[in-house]
């Protein structure tokens, strides 16, 4: 019988996963507070397993303990290692900003992974689906909530709709690694008495979880957000007019342009190539807003078919 994971296991696994992601993105250094290093050294020198969280005082986030001067000094210690910008939009960020942002995101992820603010969801979930991608990206996609596949894998948009989203992102000239993808709700909405199917998050659940997404957006500071589907629009903007009326028109979220469009799962259900073209036109507007050059081929996707 498989052993149940404790919150501590989930926290450690999630943190290690996040470090791996950062490493793949080329990040080679994270500022860490001296107190944290001392605590880690003490643990490793005693060569004993980490104690459970109930008896452990977890240090505040490294980013919160760092002063800009300490972070600058720490970065200066990296021998000849100017941190390469990950995307053109990150070119204006200093190395300190990039690493402080990474540390703050890791701390936020750590908090979300052990969150139990919705006890019924904490009880039923397999994983907290925090978000994935480049935290310096100018482009962020926001969906509704994890489904069964996402809950199982701990990653947003990995099922059939996610694969379609991945193709859309590639057609735009990006990849899953160069954008950031997150959901309004970080835990799968439970479906008591049902072994399959998904349900829409309640307004209360969305409100409870919203601070995590707000912090993610605040850290990433994307130039454009794409809201996928009516629930994402409702959770982000509080608008309920219906996605077919809102799509194609930029909205404002605290100074960041938001493009509402149909959820990829709607595209999977719809036979209409005209609907696919509508979504593509929304993405062309997003590319224009990002000042990304658009090829003739990109401009013409689904055009003949939908005429
Ligand atoms: S849905 Fe959000 S607020 Fe609710 S338990 Fe999960 S992470 Fe916490």
């Amino acid at each position: 019988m498989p052993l149940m994971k404790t919150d501590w296991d989930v926290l450690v696994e999630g943190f290690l996963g996040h470090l791996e992601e950062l490493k793949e993105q080329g990040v080679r250094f994270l500022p860490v507070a001296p107190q944290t290093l001392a605590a880690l050294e003490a643990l490793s020198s005693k060569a004993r397993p980490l104690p459970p969280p109930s008896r452990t005082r977890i240090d505040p986030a490294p980013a919160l303990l760092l002063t800009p001067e300490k972070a600058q000094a720490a970065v200066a210690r990296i021998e000849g290692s100017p941190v390469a910008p990950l995307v053109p939009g990150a070119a204006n960020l200093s190395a300190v900003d990039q690493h402080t942002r990474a540390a703050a995101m890791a701390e936020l992820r750590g908090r979300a992974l052990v969150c139990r603010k919705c006890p019924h969801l904490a009880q039923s979930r397999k994983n907290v689906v925090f978000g994935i991608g480049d935290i310096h990206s100018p482009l962020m996609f926001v969906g509704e909530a994890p489904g069964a596949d996402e809950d199982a894998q701990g990653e947003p948009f990995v099922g059939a709709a996610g694969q379609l989203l991945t193709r859309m992102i590639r057609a735009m000239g990006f990849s899953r690694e160069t954008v950031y993808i997150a959901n309004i709700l970080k835990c799968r909405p439970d479906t008591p008495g049902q072994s399959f199917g998904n349900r829409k998050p309640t307004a209360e659940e969305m409100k409870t979880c919203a601070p995590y997404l707000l912090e993610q957006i605040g850290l990433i500071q994307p130039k454009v957000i794409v809201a996928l589907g009516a629930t994402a629009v409702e959770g982000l903007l509080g608008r309920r007019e219906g996605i077919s009326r809102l799509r194609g028109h930029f909205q404002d979220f605290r100074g960041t342009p938001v493009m509402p469009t149909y959820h990829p799962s709607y595209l999977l259900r719809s036979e209409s190539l005209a609907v696919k073209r509508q979504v593509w036109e929304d993405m062309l507007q997003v590319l224009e807003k990002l000042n990304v050059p658009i090829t003739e081929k990109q401009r013409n996707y689904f055009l003949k078919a939908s005429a």
Side-chain angles (χ1 to χ4, degrees):
M1 196 173 121
L3 290 174
M4 288 287 291
K5 282 187 200 169
T6 64
D7 284 349
W8 184 247
D9 296 330
V10 173
L11 180 63
V12 171
E13 273 179 24
F15 186 66
L16 290 176
H18 184 66
L19 290 179
E20 285 297 327
E21 275 173 28
L22 293 176
K23 195 171 156 191
E24 279 169 21
Q25 290 170 13
V27 175
R28 294 288 175 265
F29 171 83
L30 282 179
V32 179
Q35 299 95 313
T36 308
L37 278 180
L40 289 172
E41 273 172 18
L43 284 171
S44 66
S45 65
K46 288 175 186 167
R48 59 180 170 81
L50 296 176
S54 57
R55 278 177 281 136
T56 306
R57 178 182 162 275
I58 300 175
D59 282 333
L64 302 179
L65 291 170
L66 275 180
T67 62
E69 294 74 28
K70 281 183 185 170
Q72 184 68 62
V75 170
R77 285 202 299 273
I78 313 171
E79 293 174 350
S81 60
V83 178
L86 302 174
V87 293
N92 294 331
L93 286 173
S94 69
V96 174
D97 289 335
Q98 291 201 27
H99 290 108
T100 303
R101 183 188 294 191
M105 189 64 90
E107 185 271 338
L108 176 62
R109 175 188 284 259
R111 268 190 282 137
L113 291 187
V114 294
C115 176
R116 293 186 173 276
K117 286 194 276 179
C118 314
H120 58 299
L121 302 187
Q123 177 77 25
S124 61
R125 74 189 176 207
K126 291 192 179 81
N127 283 294
V128 174
V129 182
F130 179 70
I132 195 162
D134 182 357
I135 61 172
H136 305 290
S137 180
L139 179 56
M140 184 167 177
F141 290 82
V142 175
E144 172 178 323
D149 293 322
E150 289 75 20
D151 182 42
Q153 296 185 42
E155 188 175 324
F157 283 97
V158 290
Q163 286 159 26
L164 179 55
L165 176 65
T166 303
R167 290 202 294 278
M168 267 168 57
I169 290 170
R170 282 202 201 116
M172 294 172 76
F174 288 82
S175 69
R176 279 177 76 92
E177 291 73 34
T178 57
V179 302
Y180 196 86
I181 308 172
N183 282 314
I184 299 281
L185 205 69
K186 308 301 184 204
C187 299
R188 185 187 180 208
D190 59 345
T191 50
Q194 237 177 271
S195 58
F196 61 91
N198 297 317
R199 72 160 169 86
K200 182 184 162 183
T202 65
E204 186 63 29
E205 289 166 343
M206 288 198 277
K207 194 173 148 207
T208 307
C209 203
Y212 292 117
L213 182 65
L214 294 187
E215 282 195 59
Q216 284 175 306
I217 294 172
L219 286 170
I220 295 167
Q221 296 177 25
K223 288 196 178 130
V224 178
I225 297 171
V226 177
L228 298 162
T231 308
V233 172
E234 186 185 330
L236 205 53
L237 305 170
R239 307 273 300 263
R240 293 185 186 174
E241 290 100 309
I243 189 68
S244 54
R245 293 184 67 182
L246 288 173
R247 65 140 288 276
H249 305 282
F250 275 111
Q251 309 294 318
D252 176 77
F253 177 75
R254 303 182 183 193
T256 303
V258 175
M259 173 56 75
T261 196
Y262 293 119
H263 193 281
S265 62
Y266 175 67
L267 293 182
L268 287 177
R269 291 194 304 272
S270 170
E271 302 271 304
S272 167
L273 286 170
V275 171
K276 291 181 173 58
R277 174 66 195 180
Q278 283 182 322
V279 172
W280 185 243
E281 281 174 5
D282 299 344
M283 296 307 103
L284 289 177
Q285 284 197 62
V286 168
L287 291 176
E288 279 166 3
K289 185 70 88 181
L290 291 170
N291 290 321
V292 172
I294 300 173
T295 65
E296 204 51 32
K297 188 178 169 194
Q298 282 176 315
R299 287 224 177 265
N300 293 332
Y301 282 155
F302 304 113
L303 207 49
K304 278 187 197 155
S306 65

